[in-house]
Amino acid sequence: QSALTQPPSVSGSPGQSVTISCTGRSSDVGFYDRVSWYQQPPGTAPKLMIYEVAHRPSGVPDRFSGSKSGNTASLTISGLQAEDEADYYCCSYTSSRTWVFGGGTKLTVL
Amino acid sequence: QVQLQESGPGLVKPSETLSLTCTVSGGSNPIYYWSWIRQPPGKGLEWIAYIYSTGSTNYNPSLKSRVTISVDTSKNQFSLDLRSVTAADTAVYYCAREVASGHFDSWGQGTLVTVSS
């Protein structure tokens, strides 16, 4: 199974908004609404930020939002803060009952 | 609040078997899917396998021939065996709990396994 496609890096200034895309196939992102997003600061374990495309777990700021159109999912972070600087990974369930991650996107807050 | 903790050797020789255990504590409901996920140094996440509490499993097709995942519900543990390892298997290995609706809501801190002679 091939990894989902994410941009290697994105950047934005404090207060701005950034969007990270995650492109898959009709057999994964396009097949289910089981797309999730994880935040990973350096040296730490991933943390769930978005699940089922657009749902936020308790404790995740509402600055984080998710969406999906066809085979592409997106994570938008509005009102960027310095603490948002991290790697972000998308993940999708597949029609083969497996999981596939994106290659990761490094977010830099300028 | 559930906690997951990986354990196992940090160094494995090429061609040998990498064996890791994840111990789960603090959770009251044992019926979940449990996964292993790895991350080579400086690279992205790769899902390896999952096991359901009943014992049903599924594997990443690229690793399926070398991987076995098992569960011991009496000890609140699940385990990973990866056979015939090479340097390409050097990674931080995470165990994670998968909620049935489709996401990993709890992760262990990860353990670095280096494959080297």
Side-chain angles (χ1 to χ4, degrees):
Chain A
Q1 56 189 23
S2 300
L4 308 176
T5 301
Q6 298 181 232
S9 64
V10 298
S11 62
S13 299
Q16 289 186 332
S17 295
V18 295
T19 296
I20 301 171
S21 61
C22 170
T23 301
R25 291 150 289 276
S26 58
S27 57
D28 41 58
V29 174
F31 194 80
Y32 290 108
D33 281 344
R34 293 186 180 184
V35 176
S36 50
W37 289 89
Y38 302 86
Q39 178 192 65
Q40 187 181 37
T44 69
K47 173 189 175 185
L48 177 68
M49 304 301 285
I50 295 287
Y51 67 95
E52 293 178 21
V53 175
H55 293 84
R56 276 187 313 276
S58 173
V60 173
D62 60 7
R63 303 184 294 103
F64 291 83
S65 62
S67 63
K68 190 185 86 166
S69 177
N71 297 337
T72 298
S74 298
L75 173 70
T76 297
I77 309 171
S78 58
L80 266 180
Q81 299 181 4
E83 67 201 49
D84 300 332
E85 190 162 287
D87 293 331
Y88 290 84
Y89 293 90
C90 61
C91 181
S92 176
Y93 194 58
T94 80
S95 58
S96 301
R97 299 188 301 115
T98 62
W99 293 94
V100 61
F101 284 92
T105 298
K106 180 178 180 60
L107 169 63
T108 301
V109 180
L110 301 170
Chain B
Q1 180 74 6
V2 68
Q3 291 186 323
L4 294 84
Q5 178 68 58
E6 305 88 352
S7 58
L11 181 65
V12 180
K13 290 182 169 55
S15 80
E16 296 190 343
T17 296
L18 179 162
S19 295
L20 296 173
T21 296
C22 182
T23 302
V24 182
S25 60
S28 59
N29 183 349
I31 308 301
Y32 284 104
Y33 289 84
W34 306 95
S35 276
W36 286 99
I37 296 160
R38 70 180 183 178
Q39 184 172 35
K43 297 187 178 180
L45 300 166
E46 180 181 36
W47 174 78
I48 301 171
Y50 72 62
I51 188 164
Y52 190 47
S53 301
T54 58
S56 65
T57 60
N58 206 2
Y59 298 95
N60 186 320
S62 67
L63 297 169
K64 185 173 183 177
S65 64
R66 299 194 291 130
V67 174
T68 301
I69 189 171
S70 58
V71 65
D72 186 337
T73 54
S74 67
K75 293 183 179 179
N76 290 329
Q77 293 179 334
F78 63 105
S79 299
L80 174 75
D81 285 333
L82 178 62
R83 297 175 290 278
S84 304
V85 298
T86 69
D89 295 311
T90 293
V92 174
Y93 286 76
Y94 295 99
C95 57
R97 184 178 76 173
E98 177 198 325
V99 177
S101 59
H103 52 275
F104 303 103
D105 70 333
S106 297
W107 296 65
Q109 65 184 22
T111 186
L112 174 63
V113 180
T114 301
V115 179
S116 174
S117 55

